[in-house]
Every structure is written in structure tokens, then in C-alpha cells.
Amino acid sequence: MNEPTLVVRDLATHFTLRNGVVRAVDNVSFSVDRGKILGLVGESGSGKSVTGFSILGLIDPPGHIAGGSIKFLGRELVGMAERELRGLRGNRIAMIFQDPMMTLNPVLRIDTQMIETVQAHADVSQAEARRRSRDALGMVGIPSPDERLSAYPHQFSGGMRQRVAIAIALLHQPDLIVADEPTTALDVTIQAQILSEVQKLAANFGTALIWITHDLSVVAGLADEIAVMYAGRIVEAGRVESVLDRPLHPYTHGLIGSVPSRNRRGARLRQIPGMTPSLLDLPPGCAFRLRCARATAACEQDPPITAPGDDRLLRCFHPQLDVAA
Amino acid sequence: MTLWILRRLFQAVLVMLAMTVIVFIGVSVIGDPVEILISPDADQAERLRAIAALGLDKPLWQQYLNFLWGALHGDLGRSFVYNEPALRLIGQRLPATMELAVTAVLLAVLLGIPLGLLAGLYPNSALGRLAMAGSILGFSLPSFWVGLMLIMVFAVQLGWLPSTGRGATVSVLGVPWSFLTLDGLAHMAMPALNLALGNIALVLRLTRSGVRENLPMDYVKFARAKGLSPIRVVFVHVLKNIMIPVVTVLGLQFGSTIAFAVVTESVFAWPGMGKLIIDSINVLDRPVIVAYLMMIVLMFVLINLAVDLLYTVLDPRVRLESAE
């Protein structure tokens, strides 16, 4: 039981385009334990969503998993037959998407979309599948789930739709849920409700969660571990308190500095200079060096992964040890 | 809902009324049916008697009012040529055209949607490319020419299919139908295909672009992330979204298919309404022309009504009441 739910080792997901290969995910390694929440943080285009889709085997051409291993409860997912993967998707590994307005099929009723998920993985009657769907809706806090089952997605608000999507993800009590920015499109009060529901559910069922987000404040309140991605690589990882209190990588530093805070009222917001580099045309060595104040000639080499203590991982030559956030 | 349907029917009546005015004026401008109908040897007394019998001695507005009065009682006038009620004439020809048009639309659905799915799901496959290239021909080749070519190849050269007529028919409820006999089906094959060609191409392209548009949508990825089989994703999730534009276009096309079966019916000597209307226009048989056009208008309105109703089944976001 001590084995982590998910162990990702050296995962590389590439997109072969006409003008080159995009290394959207490049040698990414992390693991998630049972009942734990990993926050996968990064800017748009840092490869965090692609990492999520890689785990579910939902990378479409021209993308493909170029190397590495994804071990889920001891089973290797990379190279697994599509049929077998399909048996896991929605069953043992579920996914929640970013935009609840887009994830539910607009022309199918909620019950259709839920019952088909139940029956895709369990040999049960229509009535039993309906009962399970209703229970799942009730669990995520949708009032009068019996009536709401026969409604269409457009009859729900955004927050309610995301609850439906979460209910669908929970139908088979999966061992792992990949949540791809599920609260980004919702307003803060709804976001808080959903976060607390998810936290409860993960704890109750022992579900491991990967929470993909660009919002550090969400991760701070929700996750146990954090992994910061930049240009397809994890640049820093560790326990949430540890990383957020004592960030070592200049990029993590910049991210934390960009969060508006009450303590710095009136001061100009700090920002990370420059832009995310194009993944088609990454500079050699550390991808962040062009935006980094601490970069030196050494950064033109690939920084190795180091472990600066207490479960921390870091990919930087010049960690920022002096904390002045 | 009921109010909405009533309103649509009321609009239909107005359109039909406008149609009768246009046709009455139009036909009287084109020429005088008397010159065509009455033999040139007839003497003046005979001519006057004939004109009076056809009701053409009265001024146009009075003829029109008489016609309206008759129409209110379900009488659209008697054909000048056949001396039969125009409605009955059309009614006799209607089944032949209907079965041709329905078969053509069925062909469009049965061939167009699968080919469109194929071309949409596998855009780079040889078959997908072939379907797309073929659809361009289906659009652009003139229908009468394709009809002639079909006859040349399958009737003249190969001798597989008969080139004209309806073949053997079976009478059901007093109406002869071709599609119930093998011989009738053989006769129907070419004209139906000819009539369907443009529709097949249209449905194919609509389906393909619908697939290309819907596949990258989040709901497709979410459906896959639920562990559904690709078959269910395509045939339930994607197809239901695609059917909305396809049904609209097919509905509109069904009306035009009936109305413009004229060309195909002429090429294959199919004894339907299209051939009747061409003959009637040639002899300025006004009652038949008016009755035919009113029928077509009514049909268009009813088909559009059916399409709108079907919409609410296909797309739950559509509410008819909001159209009020």
C-alpha cells in the first residue's frame, strides 16, 4: 500500500511538426501517493496539460510519447494497448477539464452522459447506472439530483456544470484524477466550494489527485506537493510549504512574486521579465536563463537535477538561497 | 407551441395568396391560351363559346376573384387541356414524383453521411480524398448531362437498366407505386441517383466539415477521457451535433428536389408532376400551373415546419417559443 499511485519517470511527449519537433514535455518525473494532491504549476504552454493528457494516453497526432515511463499502480501505461487504456480511462483514472462550458456534450442529456460512463466500465442495468449517477450528483452537492439528471448542460450554470463533470469523474471512484485547471473558469466563491469538496473526496476515497493550474494561491491551499514546470520541464518540486516558503529556483521566485499580496499594497506588482520561449526554438541549456537575473555562462549547459534537502528537487545552477520575497 | 404552428400556417396562406396573384398576372402576360387551345379553323362563334366556357371572357380581376372563391371551396379550377380538375391531375402525378424525391433524399443520407464521416475522420486517406473530389463533380456537373450519360452507359452500352418510364407498379390505397416491384426499382434506380447526386455531394461536404469542426472540441476529448469506445464517441456524441446542419439543409433540399425534379423527369420520361408542369406551361394551362405552384409552396412551408420541429429534438437549446 506504500507504493505511490502514480510514478512518472523521464516522460517525454513530443509533437512532430513540419518545422521541427516540439518537446512539450521533456524528461518530467514525479510521483503521487494515495490520497495526496500534487499541484502542477506553470505558465500557459509550459507543458502541464500535455503531461496530464499523456497520463491518460490522450495525446493525438502529431503528438506522441517519445520516451519515459508512466507507472500507475504498478502497471506501465506507456505503450499499453488502446483497448486496455480505455478500460482505465474514466474508470481508474479520471480527468476534469478546464472549461465546464465546453466539456459536456451540449445536445445530450446529463443522464445519457453519465449512464454511458457507468456502463462503459461496469456491467450494470440502466436503472442501476442511473442510481449511481444520481448518487454521484448528490455527492458533489447538486440539489435535487433526480430531476437534474434529465436536464441538458445548458440548463446548468458554469459551477454546476463543473460539479457534473466532477461527478462523472467520481462515478467509478478512481484511484487517480487529473484535474486540468478545473476552477480557472469559475468565480472565486464557486472555486472555493469546489476546492473544499475535492479535498474532502480525495481524503475520503484515497484518490490521488494531480491539480494542474497556474494559480499558486490555489495550490497553496489545496496541494500536498508542488511541481513547477517551465518550458516542458519540472524546474522545482517538493512539499508545498517548503517550496512556497523557501523557493530556490528563480522562476518559482518570480511566480510567487507575481501573486498580488496585501503586504505589498501600493507597490508595483512584480513580474517576470520577457516571455515564455517558443518550444520550437528553445535556447540550449536552461530554458529560463534569458529571463533570469542570475543567469551566467554556466546556464548554457543543461542544469542537472539536484536534491537540496527535505524531499526537494531543483534544476538550477544558481539557486536563490537568500529569501527576500 | 400550438400558437407558433398556427402562425406558421397563416404565413403559408399569405405566401400562397401572393403566389396566385403573381401566377395569374404572369401567365396572362406570357400569352393567350385561347390561341393555343382553339383550333385555327374554328369560326368566331365557336371561339366565343370556348372562351366563355373557360371563363376567359371576363376581366382578369374577376377571373381571379372567381378562382379565389373556388379555391376557398377546394376547387382550383379545371385544366383547359384535359378538362379535369387541376388538383386531381396533380394528385395523379404526385406519387411518382414523391417516391422519386424521397428515394433521392434517402440516397443522399445513406451515401452522403457515411462518406462524409469517412472523409472527416480520415481526411488524408485515399478514400476520403476521393469522396471529396467526387463531391465537387456531384456539385458542378449539370444534372441533365449526368442523366444522359447514365442512360448512355447503363441503358445503351451495358443494357443493365431501363432508360424510361416507371416500370411495373403495385397499387396501394388506389395509388400506383414503383418501389414495390423489382422492375419498378430498376426503373427508378437511375433517375433517383441522378436526382440525388447534388444532394449526396452536399450532405457529404456538410458532414465532413462538421466532423472536422467537432473532433477538436473539448466534449469529444472528455468523452474519450470517460473511456467510451471510439464508435460511441463518433456515432452518438459527434453525429448528433452534426445532424443539426445536415437536417436543415436536407429539409430545404427536399422541397427543391420535388420542385426541380422537372429536369430529371424530362430526361428519364418519368411521369411525375415535373413533366406535367412543363407540358402545362407549354400550352399555358393556367389552372394546372397555379395549382402546381400552390402545392409546391405549401410543401415548402410544411417541410420547413417539420425541420423546425425536428430541431427541438436534435438541439435542446432551441426553443420554439422564443421565435414568437
Side-chain angles (χ1 to χ4, degrees), chain B residues 48-264:
Chain B
L48 288 177
R49 213 175 324 116
I51 290 172
L54 295 176
L56 293 171
D57 53 342
K58 302 189 181 75
L60 195 62
W61 62 269
Q62 206 169 348
Q63 292 177 36
Y64 181 69
L65 289 183
N66 283 344
F67 162 80
L68 275 190
W69 184 247
L72 274 179
H73 297 82
D75 173 18
L76 293 183
R78 298 176 81 86
S79 160
F80 295 161
V81 180
Y82 301 94
N83 197 25
E84 264 188 75
L87 263 185
R88 191 195 298 163
L89 265 180
I90 290 170
Q92 284 164 357
R93 307 294 196 95
L94 184 66
T97 298
M98 282 305 264
E99 71 176 342
L100 198 61
V102 169
T103 313
V105 169
L106 274 181
L107 277 177
V109 171
L110 295 179
L111 292 176
I113 291 180
L115 285 174
L117 282 176
L118 198 85
L121 292 174
Y122 310 102
N124 295 321
S125 66
L127 216 58
R129 284 168 193 268
L130 195 72
M132 285 307 281
S135 74
I136 294 176
L137 292 182
F139 266 131
S140 44
L141 292 179
S143 160
F144 73 90
W145 183 83
V146 175
L148 293 176
M149 287 301 119
L150 283 174
I151 291 178
M152 273 263 288
V153 174
F154 292 103
V156 179
Q157 304 282 338
L158 298 171
W160 291 352
L161 293 168
S163 63
T164 56
R166 280 185 85 178
T169 55
V170 172
S171 201
V172 176
L173 301 172
V175 178
W177 298 102
S178 291
F179 73 97
L180 294 171
T181 67
L182 213 57
D183 182 49
L185 280 178
H187 278 82
M188 199 155 68
M190 281 200 293
L193 184 70
N194 185 206
L195 195 56
L197 218 54
N199 288 342
I200 295 174
L202 196 62
V203 171
L204 192 161
R205 295 188 84 91
L206 267 178
T207 309
R208 178 187 184 271
S209 65
V211 172
R212 303 301 306 154
E213 224 170 87
N214 276 277
L215 276 189
M217 302 273 252
D218 267 0
Y219 79 80
V220 173
K221 206 147 200 180
F222 187 63
R224 289 170 63 202
K226 293 196 298 189
L228 303 183
S229 68
I231 292 189
R232 181 152 179 107
V233 173
V234 169
F235 285 93
V236 175
H237 283 257
V238 175
L239 197 60
K240 191 147 185 219
N241 277 283
I242 294 175
M243 284 320 283
I244 298 164
V246 171
V247 164
T248 320
V249 169
L250 266 183
L252 294 176
Q253 283 296 309
F254 185 57
S256 332
T257 306
I258 295 170
F260 302 118
V262 176
V263 175
T264 298

Side-chain angles (χ1 to χ4, degrees), chain A residues 73-129:
Chain A
L73 297 175
R75 295 168 73 186
E76 179 59 56
L77 299 186
V78 175
M80 186 184 261
E82 172 63 23
R83 228 192 147 68
E84 218 174 326
L85 262 176
R86 210 193 303 146
L88 290 176
R89 272 185 221 137
N91 184 9
R92 307 312 337 141
I93 310 176
M95 187 152 183
I96 307 167
F97 288 57
Q98 175 170 4
D99 188 351
M101 298 296 177
M102 307 294 293
T103 45
L104 297 173
N105 192 327
V107 300
L108 296 178
R109 294 201 324 211
I110 299 298
D111 54 0
T112 315
Q113 304 194 45
M114 294 192 80
I115 288 169
E116 68 179 2
T117 316
V118 175
Q119 292 188 327
H121 302 293
D123 190 14
V124 296
S125 69
Q126 191 84 6
E128 169 64 11

Side-chain angles (χ1 to χ4, degrees), chain A residues 133-288:
Chain A
S133 308
R134 187 198 59 209
D135 292 349
L137 283 187
M139 197 154 53
V140 295
I142 289 184
S144 49
D146 249 328
E147 292 159 41
R148 299 308 266 161
L149 263 181
S150 346
Y152 284 96
H154 70 274
Q155 293 164 313
F156 287 82
S157 67
M160 281 297 163
R161 279 193 227 188
Q162 196 60 295
R163 280 166 196 262
V164 172
I166 293 171
I168 289 176
L170 292 175
L171 277 173
H172 294 281
Q173 274 134 35
D175 300 298
L176 173 69
I177 296 179
V178 179
D180 188 2
E181 309 210 32
T183 55
T184 311
L186 307 176
D187 60 59
V188 257
T189 48
I190 311 283
Q191 180 174 330
Q193 287 172 9
I194 285 187
L195 288 180
S196 94
E197 303 267 0
V198 165
Q199 214 163 15
K200 243 187 297 175
L201 294 166
N204 290 350
F205 295 119
T207 306
L209 240 119
I210 298 178
W211 198 273
I212 299 171
T213 183
H214 59 257
D215 190 345
L216 276 177
S217 52
V218 166
V219 171
L222 179 78
D224 301 294
E225 310 242 340
I226 183 172
V228 180
M229 280 190 86
Y230 187 79
R233 290 178 169 183
I234 291 183
V235 292
E236 181 162 16
R239 296 200 51 74
V240 165
E241 319 85 70
S242 162
V243 172
L244 293 186
D245 289 349
R246 207 166 56 85
L248 295 174
H249 198 283
Y251 177 63
T252 318
H253 238 270
L255 276 185
I256 295 172
S258 317
V259 177
S261 147
R262 226 181 2 198
N263 304 334
R264 294 198 307 269
R265 251 185 109 81
R268 260 184 98 81
L269 283 178
R270 262 183 268 171
Q271 42 181 327
I272 305 175
M275 295 187 346
T276 326
S278 156
L279 287 173
L280 258 178
D281 186 24
L282 278 184
C286 174
F288 187 60

